[in-house]
Amino acid sequence: MKNIIISVSNSKGGSAKTTSTAIMGFILSEWKNKKVLIVDMDQQNQIKYLMYGYDNQDKIKEVKESSLSSEAGGTTVRYNKVSNNLDFLSFGTSLVSLTNSESVDLIPRFKKYLKSLNYDFILVDNPPAFQSASNTGVGISDYTVISTMTQTLSYDGSFQQEDTVNTLNETLDSVNVKLIAVLRSIKDRNNHNAKNSQRIKDYFQDLMVKDIIPSSTEYQNMVDTGVNDERVKKRRAIRKYLSVVDEIMERISKDIGEDVNGKTWIGK
């Protein structure tokens, strides 16, 4: 089986995309023993802090820097190793000036390149808004997960993201991406967020992931200390995503007719 490419997206920033991508990557690689590559399409490169922790940047292990001249229009990418099972690839600012026409040309070549790599899963952290890099991240994917907070702007961005997925599928022959799940994260338990959470559920219905990710300072602290299970509180916060990962993997397994989830082993 070739690797499965999953993008995490929302046209609105601050929708827990990067946090969700990093934690899902950790669970798949460290608790499910899958070989995982995280692709950072965001020029801010924030996911590297979640991978290592802002306080541990000296531990970043650069595997190689290369120019994907045939696959990515000459853009430079950097591979970094996080653990035996987890790597991440970043573009830095090389995609800032990517135009729509360049994105259309890049999608089939970059997807072909990613499909040639020896990973079980490739997770794509998408930038917000209607940037060409964001369209590229969705376009190269087999599946996309919309990550949304239960606040009005993020809630609205989830609908815009669905439109983007539909438009890419309808207008580009090289794109065949399926919206597989919508994931909610709640910041505050108040009537405003409860109302929006129900609106999202009513609209997306069966696409909704059953569990809602609750607010926790542990997710904020992971920017400084990285996504790992070294502390009990952090491990509990990561476990909130375990049922989410299992549900998404079950949906993909059903779609392709093959079990891709496997067993979970939490070693601490």
Side-chain angles (χ1 to χ4, degrees):
M1 181 187 72
K2 288 187 176 180
N3 59 53
I4 296 172
I5 306 175
I6 307 169
S7 57
V8 182
S9 58
N10 190 314
S11 65
K12 173 68 175 63
S15 299
K17 295 185 301 295
T18 300
T19 300
S20 296
T21 304
I23 294 177
M24 289 170 62
F26 176 86
I27 289 173
L28 286 169
S29 63
E30 308 307 312
W31 289 359
K32 291 182 177 292
N33 198 32
K34 303 293 186 180
K35 187 72 174 174
V36 178
L37 174 69
I38 290 180
V39 178
D40 188 0
M41 300 293 291
D42 196 330
Q43 66 198 51
Q44 299 179 72
N45 297 139
Q46 293 178 343
I47 201 166
K48 68 180 179 182
Y49 301 131
L50 284 163
M51 294 290 92
Y52 292 97
Y54 190 85
D55 299 334
N56 302 313
Q57 294 184 63
D58 58 320
K59 295 182 180 180
I60 294 179
K61 308 165 188 174
E62 186 168 295
V63 178
K64 63 180 178 179
E65 178 177 305
S66 61
S67 176
L68 303 180
S69 56
S70 60
E71 296 85 4
T75 54
T76 298
V77 297
R78 292 178 175 83
Y79 284 90
N80 299 89
K81 179 163 286 297
V82 180
S83 67
N84 288 336
N85 277 351
L86 181 60
D87 301 329
F88 79 89
L89 179 154
S90 61
F91 286 88
T93 59
S94 60
L95 295 181
V96 173
S97 59
L98 187 71
T99 65
N100 286 333
S101 61
E102 289 171 336
S103 173
V104 170
D105 182 59
L106 173 58
I107 287 172
R109 289 186 289 147
F110 191 33
K111 184 171 184 176
K112 181 180 179 181
Y113 169 74
L114 291 177
K115 285 293 185 180
S116 72
L117 301 179
N118 186 28
Y119 293 96
D120 298 308
F121 292 96
I122 296 177
L123 304 183
V124 183
D125 180 30
N126 254 21
F130 303 104
Q131 302 175 26
S132 295
S134 181
N135 289 342
T136 303
V138 173
I140 62 175
S141 305
D142 301 307
Y143 300 95
T144 192
V145 175
I146 292 179
S147 173
T148 181
M149 302 292 286
T150 53
Q151 297 164 310
T152 300
L153 293 179
S154 182
Y155 150 81
D156 188 57
S158 63
F159 303 140
Q160 296 173 3
Q161 189 63 44
E162 183 194 33
D163 288 341
T164 297
V165 172
N166 292 336
T167 299
L168 288 170
N169 278 323
E170 291 167 3
T171 59
L172 298 179
D173 292 337
S174 61
V175 174
N176 183 21
V177 56
K178 178 176 289 188
L179 175 55
I180 196 70
V182 178
L183 167 64
R184 290 169 292 175
S185 298
I186 189 166
K187 187 172 184 180
D188 300 298
R189 294 188 179 276
N190 54 37
N191 290 336
H192 170 79
N193 283 304
K195 182 179 179 180
N196 280 337
S197 179
Q198 189 60 47
R199 283 177 173 174
I200 297 167
K201 184 177 180 180
D202 290 343
Y203 180 82
F204 286 107
Q205 298 187 15
D206 291 344
L207 284 170
M208 296 303 308
V209 173
K210 180 180 178 181
D211 290 336
I212 303 174
I213 302 300
S215 175
S216 172
T217 56
E218 287 301 320
Y219 299 127
Q220 301 171 33
N221 293 338
M222 287 177 190
V223 174
D224 295 322
T225 60
V227 177
N228 56 64
D229 55 5
E230 294 174 356
R231 292 172 49 249
V232 173
K233 287 185 177 180
K234 187 183 290 189
R235 189 157 63 250
R236 287 174 180 168
I238 294 173
R239 286 191 70 138
K240 298 293 184 182
Y241 274 86
L242 181 56
S243 63
V244 171
V245 172
D246 283 337
E247 187 170 349
I248 293 172
M249 293 300 107
E250 288 170 6
R251 293 183 187 185
I252 293 175
S253 297
K254 184 177 180 180
D255 187 57
I256 66 175
E258 180 180 347
D259 181 23
V260 299
N261 194 15
K263 295 181 179 180
T264 302
W265 185 82
I266 303 173
K268 297 182 180 181

